[in-house]
Amino acid sequence: MIPRPSSVRGTAEGTTLSDGMVVASDEASADVASLLAEELQAATGWRVALGGPGAGSSHGTVRLAVRPDPSGVPDGPSLESYRLRVSASGVEIEAPSPAGVFYGTRTLRELLPAELLRSAPTIGPPGAGARSAVAPVDVPGVEIEDGPRFAWRGIHLDVARHFFQKRFVLRLIDLASLHKLNMLHLHLTDDQGWRFQVDRYPLLTEVGAWRRESPAGHYREGRGDGTPHGGFYTKADLAEIVAYAARRFVTVVPEVDMPGHMLAAIAAYPQLGNTGRQFEVYTSWGISDHVLNLEERTVRFCTDVLDELAEICPGPYIHIGGDECPVTEWEASAAARDLAKSLGLPGPQRLQSWFSRQVAGALSAKGRVTVGWTEILEGGAPPGAVVMVWRGDDAREVAIKAAEAGHDVIMSPETWTYFDLSYSDSPAEPLAIRAGISVADVYGFEPVPAGLPPGLEGHVIGTQCQLWTEYVPTPEHAEYMYFPRVCAFSEVAWSPRDRRWDEFEPRLEAHMARLDALGVNYRPLAGPTPGQARTWSTRMGGPL
Ligand code: TNX
C-alpha cells in the first residue's frame, strides 16, 4: 500500500466482496459510503447497496462509522486517523471523522485487486482469457491502524503557464486523494495568464487569459511557437472543482500571485502598472519586471479579486504568492518612493512587506489565513501568515526563522519537491526546466528541517509538491512529471518518519499496476517509454 500505513497486522480470516454486497454506514459516513459504492460499482458491475448501520449480512459487508474515540486509533490529535479491520464478519472502518473514514476507504481500495481501480469491469469474451472483475473478490484478513504525519499534504498545479481544463483538475483530485493528499494548491495567475473569472474586472479573462504565443523549446533558445494559448475557469468551473475536491476531503487553496508575477492583469488593466504602458500577456518564461503599482486603488483591486475568489473557495487558506517581485519599477517610480517615505520605510524594497500586510489584513477580516512564498518573510510577514518555503538554498534558515517568528510553515523546497525538474539528466528525458529530481530523491526528503529548535516542530504543518508548467503543456505530460514522484511524496507527507528506499521500491513497483488500471501516464522507474521520451517540442541543444 502507498502511502504506507502506521501499522498493518495480517489476521487469519478475511472476507469476500461480491455482487449484491452492502456498504453500511452511519449518518456521518453516508457520503463516503456512497462514493465507495459508486467506485466499486463502476469497476465491477456489481450491484452495491447502501444501508444504515445495521444493514447487510455480516460476511462481505463493508461497515463505515465515525466514532469520537475509536479504540486502537494511533495517538495524536489527528481527526484523519482511521482503523480498518477485515475479518470473517466483513470490512469495518472506524475513524474520529468522515475524513478518517474516507482514508480508510482509500486503503481498502488498495487492498483490493488493482483491477478494481478501473472505470469499468474487464469482462472478456468466453475463453478469451481476460479475467472478469465481476467474480467475487477475496480481501485478506488484516488490522490496520493509521493516521497522517502532517496535516498539510499538498499538491500544487500551475494552471497559469499552461491552462489545464477542469477535467484534468478533477482527475488530479482523484489521484491525489487516493494517495491521501489533502490540499490542492492552484496557481491561478501569473505573468503568462490569468485563469479565473472575476465579475468586477472582466478584462482579466477577456485579455489576461490569452497570450499570443509561448516559447518553443527551452526559453533560453529565444524562439516563439507562434501559437496562441489560454483559457480560464468560470465561477461555476471553480465551484465544481471545490465541491468535487471537498467530497474527497481535499481543500482547494487558490493562489493569486501578487505584487509581482502580475503582467497578465497589467496587460488587461494598464492602470495597475507603474508605467501606464500597454503590455501584452507575457510570451516568455521567467520573471517580468513589470509589477503592480501600490496605489490605494490597486490594493483595492487585489482585495476585490480575492473577495470574489474567497466566495467560491470556502477553505481557510488563501495564497497571495509574493515570490520574485523585482523592485526596479518601484525604485524608478516617484509615487512608490513617496509612499515608502510616507510609511517611514527605508526604501521601496520594503514596500512588498507593507503591501502583503494590507492584503492579508483584508483576508483575516474575512476569517481567512494568508499563505505566501518564502519572500513574504522579507521585512516581516503579515501576522498569522503561513510561509511556504520554496527556495532550496536557504530553505532551512527560512523555515527556522519563520517558525521562530511564530508562523506556520509548509516545506516545499525546489530541491526535493519541484516536479517540473526532470527525473534524471538522461538525454531521453522530455524537455524540462532543468535536471533533476529522482523518485528516490523525493522519497529521501525530510520536511522537518535539521536544527529546528525544540518546541517549534508543531509549526511545520506539512509539505507540498509543486508542478510548475512552463515545460508541461498537456495533462499527459503533467501525469508523467507527477507520477510516480507523487507516490513517493505521499509517504513523506503521510507515513511515519522512518522510510527506507529498498523497502519502498518493491511496493512502488507493485503500485504501478494500480496506476496502470487508473490509466496514469507515469514514468517507469527505468526511464521514459519510447512514447514518453521527448513528448513535445524540440529539445534544446546542450546539457540541461
Ligand atoms: C520559481 S517557486 C517560481 C515559479 C517558477 C518556478 C520554476 C516560485 C514561488 N516561483 O514562478 O515557475 O520557479 O521552477
Side-chain angles (χ1 to χ4, degrees), residues 19-280:
D19 187 28
M21 66 173 280
V22 177
V23 181
S25 69
D26 57 6
E27 191 66 30
S29 313
D31 192 52
V32 178
S34 61
L35 181 65
L36 177 67
E38 285 165 31
E39 291 166 339
L40 292 179
Q41 212 153 0
T44 60
W46 298 340
R47 282 156 304 168
V48 180
L50 291 168
S57 65
S58 54
H59 192 75
T61 300
V62 177
R63 273 182 226 88
L64 310 182
V66 171
R67 302 220 196 291
D69 183 22
S71 55
V73 162
D75 293 341
S78 179
L79 286 172
E80 299 175 303
S81 313
Y82 65 92
R83 189 180 61 174
L84 184 157
R85 207 165 25 194
V86 182
S87 69
S89 61
V91 179
E92 224 180 304
I93 296 171
E94 291 181 353
S97 76
V101 175
F102 172 75
Y103 292 124
T105 64
R106 297 309 86 179
T107 297
L108 174 61
R109 295 202 76 194
E110 295 200 352
L111 285 173
L112 302 174
E115 289 296 291
L116 268 64
L117 290 165
R118 291 187 182 273
S119 309
T122 53
I123 314 166
R131 217 177 54 83
S132 164
V134 172
V137 166
D138 291 330
V139 196
V142 75
E143 271 193 35
I144 295 174
E145 286 167 9
D146 194 16
R149 179 171 174 211
F150 292 108
W152 185 301
R153 305 178 299 280
I155 186 165
H156 154 288
L157 177 64
D158 167 11
V159 295
R161 271 56 175 272
H162 279 102
F163 178 62
F164 289 82
Q165 300 293 339
K166 173 198 81 186
R167 257 176 97 78
F168 176 67
V169 180
L170 302 183
R171 171 160 168 93
L172 186 62
I173 291 165
D174 282 331
L175 296 172
S177 61
L178 181 66
H179 291 83
K180 302 188 173 78
L181 303 183
N182 68 344
M183 294 287 180
L184 174 66
H185 173 172
L186 291 177
H187 183 77
L188 288 169
T189 67
D190 215 302
D191 295 320
Q192 296 86 356
W194 184 281
R195 304 284 176 235
F196 70 100
Q197 175 192 355
V198 180
D199 294 335
R200 263 174 286 191
Y201 302 98
L203 297 182
L204 287 173
T205 45
E206 279 171 36
V207 173
W210 313 98
R211 65 173 177 261
R212 189 171 43 79
E213 64 171 359
S214 310
H218 201 280
Y219 90 104
R220 284 194 299 259
E221 295 172 55
R223 291 186 293 128
D225 68 0
T227 308
H229 176 83
F232 65 92
Y233 305 118
T234 64
K235 290 198 160 170
D237 292 336
L238 267 189
E240 182 184 355
I241 289 169
V242 166
Y244 192 89
R247 193 173 184 213
R248 289 150 184 86
F249 299 88
V250 170
T251 300
V252 172
V253 181
E255 176 187 356
V256 180
D257 205 343
M258 57 182 76
H261 286 282
M262 261 286 179
L263 188 55
I266 297 168
Y269 295 101
Q271 61 271 36
L272 297 171
N274 290 281
T275 65
R277 279 166 56 200
Q278 176 68 61
F279 298 106
E280 63 171 0

Side-chain angles (χ1 to χ4, degrees), residues 161 190 261 323-324 373 390 418 420 433-434 468 470:
R161 271 56 175 272
D190 215 302
H261 286 282
D323 57 311
E324 303 174 324
W373 298 108
W390 77 270
Y418 270 31
D420 57 327
I433 191 163
R434 59 195 153 94
W468 299 102
E470 290 94 330

Side-chain angles (χ1 to χ4, degrees), residues 340-392:
K341 201 187 270 166
S342 73
L343 293 167
L345 300 173
Q349 69 286 354
R350 278 296 156 89
L351 284 169
Q352 184 175 343
S353 171
W354 169 82
F355 168 83
S356 305
R357 283 167 194 264
Q358 306 304 301
V359 175
L363 286 175
S364 72
K366 295 182 140 300
R368 304 305 177 93
V369 178
T370 298
V371 186
W373 298 108
T374 292
E375 289 89 335
I376 65 156
L377 206 56
E378 286 160 19
V386 175
V387 179
M388 201 168 255
V389 178
W390 77 270
R391 285 191 312 238

